[in-house]
């Protein structure tokens, strides 16, 4: 969390630590519904690839890793919402909660980066598999460039998140 300018903090209303206004259960319900849909879609894909196609590829492994990171990120966000004040106004968050809330935000950001990184790699692996027997060199070079960009972007964003000052 960045430092809050003094004039902004002074303009806040009086904190309400005992009975703060919260957003209710909307985040919990939305996340549970969406994680169930994502889980069904991912496992339908993997089941279809294994049971019907009789093939399991690196793209399936990447999407399972992305799913794992997504489930982890969802759990982290729900924990932060429940225990560390993510469901209330910043002026209603107790000072004792701020450090843990920031740690949780850091971990959630890394989980997001890994989930999106693995999803991108899964798509690129799928494209590689689709053009395996096609003799279009320009397309293969485009995939190589895309792979280099995705990995470079993923590493740079992860390092920026870890070493952000």
């Amino acid at each position: 969390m960045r430092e809050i300018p003094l004039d902004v903090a002074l303009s806040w209303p009086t904190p309400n630590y005992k009975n703060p206004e919260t957003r209710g259960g909307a985040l919990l319900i939305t996340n549970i519904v969406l994680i169930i849909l994502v889980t069904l879609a991912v496992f339908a894909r993997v089941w279809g690839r294994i049971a019907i196609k009789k093939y399991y590829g690196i793209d399936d492994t990447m999407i399972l890793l992305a799913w794992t990171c997504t489930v982890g990120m969802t759990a982290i966000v729900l924990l932060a919402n429940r225990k560390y004040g993510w469901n209330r106004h910043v002026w209603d968050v107790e000072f004792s909660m701020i450090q843990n809330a920031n740690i949780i935000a850091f971990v959630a950001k890394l989980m997001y980066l890994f989930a999106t990184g693995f999803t991108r790699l899964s798509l690129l692996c799928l494209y590689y598999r689709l053009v395996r027997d096609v003799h279009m060199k320009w397309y293969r070079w485009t995939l190589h460039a895309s792979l280099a960009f995705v990995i470079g972007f993923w590493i740079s964003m992860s390092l920026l998140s870890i070493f952000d000052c």
Side-chain angles (χ1 to χ4, degrees), residues 114-128:
F114 276 81
T116 57
F118 283 127
T119 301
R120 290 180 184 119
L121 288 178
S122 175
L123 284 170
L124 288 172
C125 291
L126 171 69
Y127 293 153
Y128 272 112

Side-chain angles (χ1 to χ4, degrees), residues 1-4 12 86 90-91 93 95 98-99 101-103 105-106 109 164:
M1 186 164 131
R2 305 268 183 225
E3 287 190 32
I4 300 166
W12 291 346
W86 281 24
V90 69
W91 53 81
V93 177
F95 289 112
I98 291 175
Q99 182 177 4
N102 287 339
I103 292 169
F106 171 74
K109 184 193 289 189
D164 186 22

Side-chain angles (χ1 to χ4, degrees), residues 1-2 4 26 30-31 34 44 68 78 90 97 113 145 149 159:
M1 186 164 131
R2 305 268 183 225
I4 300 166
T30 303
N31 273 290
L34 291 177
T68 303
L78 292 177
V90 69
M97 300 168 83
L113 286 170
F149 178 78
L159 291 175

Side-chain angles (χ1 to χ4, degrees), residues 25-138:
L27 182 71
L28 176 67
I29 293 167
T30 303
N31 273 290
I32 288 174
V33 168
L34 291 177
I35 207 68
I36 288 171
L37 291 175
V38 166
T39 301
L40 290 173
V42 168
F43 283 102
R45 171 201 166 126
V46 172
W47 178 82
R49 292 289 296 273
I50 293 172
I52 297 171
K53 292 287 230 177
K54 307 281 192 243
Y55 177 79
Y56 181 86
I58 188 86
D59 54 328
D60 299 313
T61 300
M62 293 294 158
I63 207 67
L64 283 172
L65 289 170
W67 172 80
T68 303
C69 292
T70 301
V71 169
M73 183 187 64
T74 301
I76 288 168
V77 167
L78 292 177
L79 171 73
N81 188 59
R82 180 91 174 164
K83 298 235 182 225
Y84 298 110
W86 281 24
N87 62 343
R88 53 180 85 168
H89 296 290
V90 69
W91 53 81
D92 289 335
V93 177
E94 296 177 37
F95 289 112
S96 62
M97 300 168 83
I98 291 175
Q99 182 177 4
N100 288 335
N102 287 339
I103 292 169
I104 294 288
F106 171 74
V107 174
K109 184 193 289 189
L110 287 179
M111 294 299 280
Y112 173 79
L113 286 170
F114 276 81
T116 57
F118 283 127
T119 301
R120 290 180 184 119
L121 288 178
S122 175
L123 284 170
L124 288 172
C125 291
L126 171 69
Y127 293 153
Y128 272 112
R129 188 173 52 81
L130 291 175
V131 299
R132 181 176 35 215
D133 299 326
V134 177
H135 301 291
M136 293 193 291
K137 284 188 178 184
W138 65 269

